[in-house]
């Protein structure tokens, strides 16, 4: 028995050494070459905009009262008053200007008094001429005076009438001059009543379209110049998305490209479509200090308002612009690819061993590569192949 045990131990030792030194199958992750939908896309951050906002400006220079509307108020076209502008207050005068204005008023009042005196004199002259005319006509009817004398009396009456009309016009002229001179003395209190209340309104601006008040330049009453912006109105049902892309990326986008709006704050995704790529680029400095040429894109938001409730002006969204898409593309995971010279290669799993295969790939998207040639559908490929993996190495799928 001793010899038997010694023989068994002697045989087991070489077997153990062979088993220990025998190469073991290397555990690997495997992927499948399969057909499926594939699409190329550009992902960028965008900002929502109202498509056609109305910026209301002051039509005249004057005092804008406190804004009758606030941001978020709903306004109706042609009905809602969105701004009120009153006449501007007169400027303050220095001592010399006030003294000159007071002298002009005194001069105008003296001219009015003179015109009133001339008017009374013209009225007296006309009354005397009317009496003379009546007496002359009676005498001429009895033949007491000659016809020529009657004509002289009638001419004198007409002259008296013209003198009265001239005196009346002169009085009106001097009264207007007095009013103009008095207006020069008006101070900043001219537009206010006895109780300090604002005077009569000059301009009431009504909403040009139905929508929501997006912004108000200033809620407080203030002096505004003609053309100064007062507020902005827009319709939130007509929205668009504004994107800024690198010019090298923008040239890849096809006309009217489809887009998907993700991470906008609500549930699900929203549909959008490219409407315009602006023809002129602009320079922007990135966070790393690099000058970039960027292009602005505008997309129409196609989803109905009830699907994007709460989305307003200037909200940040993430947009996925679809460059191309196909329904059935033979594709392999990009994690299986590695360089072989100038081309690409993968390790496939065949009968428990790794087999190196060269292949041609096309477009890349979402971690997948389009297989043009070199791999059949259904092939199992090694993902993330280690540098020690070689052609013919035994492999096993990792749990």
């Amino acid at each position: 028995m001793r010899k038997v045990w010694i023989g068994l131990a002697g045989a087991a030792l070489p077997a153990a050494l062979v088993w220990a030194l025998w190469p073991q199958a290397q555990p690997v992750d495997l992927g499948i070459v399969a057909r499926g939908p594939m699409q190329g896309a550009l992902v960028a951050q965008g900002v929502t905009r109202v498509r056609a906002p109305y910026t209301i400006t002051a039509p005249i220079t004057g005092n804008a009262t406190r804004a009758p509307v606030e941001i978020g108020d709903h306004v109706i076209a042609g009905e809602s008053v969105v701004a009120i502008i009153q006449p501007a207050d007169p400027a303050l005068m220095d001592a010399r200007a006030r003294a000159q204005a007071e002298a002009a008023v005194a001069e105008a009042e003296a001219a009015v008094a003179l015109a009133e005196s001339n008017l009374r004199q013209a009225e007296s002259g006309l009354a005397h001429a009317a009496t003379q005319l009546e007496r002359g006509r009676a005498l001429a009817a009895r033949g007491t005076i000659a016809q020529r004398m009657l004509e002289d009396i009638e001419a004198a009456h007409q002259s008296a009438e013209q003198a009265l009309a001239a005196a009346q016009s002169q009085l009106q002229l001097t009264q207007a001059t007095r009013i103009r001179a008095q207006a020069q003395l008006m101070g900043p209190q001219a537009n206010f009543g006895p109780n300090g209340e604002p005077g009569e309104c000059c301009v009431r601006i009504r909403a040009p379209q139905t929508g929501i008040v997006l912004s108000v330049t200033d809620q407080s009453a203030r002096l505004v110049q003609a053309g100064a912006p007062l507020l902005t109105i827009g319709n939130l049902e007509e929205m668009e998305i504004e994107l800024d892309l690198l010019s090298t990326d923008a040239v890849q986008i096809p006309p009217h490209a489809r887009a998907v709006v993700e991470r906008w704050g609500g549930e699900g995704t929203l549909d959008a479509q490219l409407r315009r790529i602006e023809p002129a680029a602009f320079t922007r400095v990135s966070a790393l200090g690099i000058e970039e040429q960027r292009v602005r894109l505008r997309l129409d938001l196609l989803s109905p308002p009830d699907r994007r409730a709460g989305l307003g002006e200037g909200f940040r969204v993430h947009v996925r612009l679809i460059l191309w898409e196909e329904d059935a593309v033979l594709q392999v995971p990009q994690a299986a690819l590695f360089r072989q010279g100038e081309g690409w290669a993968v390790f496939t799993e065949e009968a428990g061993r790794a087999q190196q295969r060269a292949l041609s790939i096309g477009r890349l998207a979402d971690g997948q590569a389009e297989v043009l040639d070199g791999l059949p559908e259904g092939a199992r490929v090694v993902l993330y192949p280690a540098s020690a993996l070689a052609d013919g190495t035994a492999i096993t799928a990792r749990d």
Side-chain angles (χ1 to χ4, degrees):
M1 291 299 294
R2 182 186 304 172
K3 293 180 179 180
V4 172
W5 285 109
I6 293 174
L8 291 175
L13 181 60
L17 291 174
V18 171
W19 180 84
L21 298 176
W22 192 265
Q24 300 294 319
Q26 184 174 341
V28 295
D29 295 320
L30 297 177
I32 303 296
V33 178
R35 290 188 180 274
M38 191 175 183
Q39 62 177 209
L42 284 173
V43 179
Q45 288 187 349
V47 177
T48 59
R49 301 292 186 197
V50 173
R51 182 177 301 173
Y54 278 82
T55 298
I56 299 175
T57 59
I60 60 172
T61 298
N63 286 328
T65 64
R66 184 170 181 81
V69 294
E70 297 180 354
I71 296 176
D73 287 352
H74 182 77
V75 294
I76 301 175
E79 296 183 11
S80 303
V81 176
V82 296
I84 301 174
I85 300 179
Q86 296 176 338
D89 295 334
L92 290 172
M93 293 185 295
D94 56 23
R96 175 183 296 177
R98 175 166 291 277
Q100 292 174 346
E102 291 175 349
V105 171
E107 181 182 358
E109 289 178 346
V112 169
L114 178 59
E116 290 175 347
S117 176
N118 292 337
L119 177 61
R120 290 192 295 270
Q121 182 178 357
E123 289 174 346
S124 300
L126 179 58
H128 176 70
T131 303
Q132 291 293 103
L133 178 59
E134 183 181 358
R135 183 181 299 111
R137 285 176 178 173
L139 294 174
R142 294 195 298 266
T144 306
I145 61 175
Q147 184 64 28
R148 181 176 179 181
M149 186 177 294
L150 177 61
E151 292 174 357
D152 292 340
I153 296 174
E154 289 177 348
H157 181 269
Q158 292 177 357
S159 297
E161 287 180 341
Q162 295 298 327
L164 177 61
Q168 291 174 340
S169 299
Q170 183 65 31
L171 177 61
Q172 293 174 357
L173 177 62
T174 54
Q175 288 175 340
T177 302
R178 181 178 61 181
I179 293 173
R180 183 174 65 250
Q182 290 172 342
Q184 298 298 322
L185 289 173
M186 290 183 179
Q189 74 282 0
N191 280 335
F192 294 84
N195 298 326
E197 299 176 353
E200 183 180 357
C201 171
C202 180
V203 176
R204 290 179 179 269
I205 303 175
R206 302 185 184 275
Q209 77 162 7
T210 299
I212 301 295
V213 177
L214 301 178
S215 65
V216 178
T217 304
D218 195 339
Q219 288 284 141
S220 302
R222 67 197 188 282
L223 176 67
V224 295
Q225 300 294 325
L230 301 176
L231 71 158
T232 303
I233 296 174
N235 187 356
L236 294 183
E237 295 184 359
E238 299 178 358
M239 300 282 292
E240 66 179 11
I241 298 175
E242 181 181 293
L243 296 178
D244 291 342
L245 294 182
L246 292 172
S247 58
T248 53
D249 292 337
V251 297
Q252 306 176 33
I253 303 174
H256 309 294
R258 186 173 69 88
V260 179
V261 182
E262 304 170 330
R263 297 164 58 189
W264 59 278
E267 296 182 357
T269 60
L270 303 177
D271 298 326
Q273 185 177 28
L274 176 65
R275 185 176 84 249
R276 177 186 303 168
I277 300 178
E278 296 187 355
F282 58 92
T283 302
R284 175 174 292 174
V285 180
S286 69
L288 299 177
I290 301 174
E291 288 189 354
E292 300 175 340
Q293 292 301 115
R294 305 189 73 87
V295 180
R296 184 166 288 115
L297 286 71
R298 298 190 182 277
L299 289 73
D300 290 330
L301 198 54
L302 303 180
S303 297
D306 57 349
R307 283 189 52 195
R308 48 183 169 89
L311 193 62
E313 164 78 8
F315 285 32
R316 184 168 297 280
V317 295
H318 288 75
V319 179
R320 185 181 181 88
L321 274 164
I322 309 302
L323 304 180
W324 55 269
E325 55 185 341
E326 295 184 16
D327 294 332
V329 178
L330 185 63
Q331 50 194 292
V332 62
Q334 294 183 29
L337 299 174
F338 61 91
R339 278 291 185 181
Q340 184 185 32
E342 298 296 327
W344 294 94
V346 295
F347 282 110
T348 61
E349 187 274 331
E350 298 179 15
R353 294 190 176 275
Q355 299 294 329
Q356 182 173 322
R357 286 177 173 267
L359 75 162
S360 299
I361 63 173
R363 295 171 291 192
L364 306 176
D366 294 334
Q368 300 290 322
E370 180 184 12
V371 178
L372 300 179
D373 187 26
L375 284 178
E377 183 177 358
R380 290 154 56 93
V381 294
V382 178
L383 303 180
Y384 311 105
S387 59
L389 187 64
D391 194 13
T393 302
I395 58 175
T396 181
R398 181 182 286 116
D399 295 334

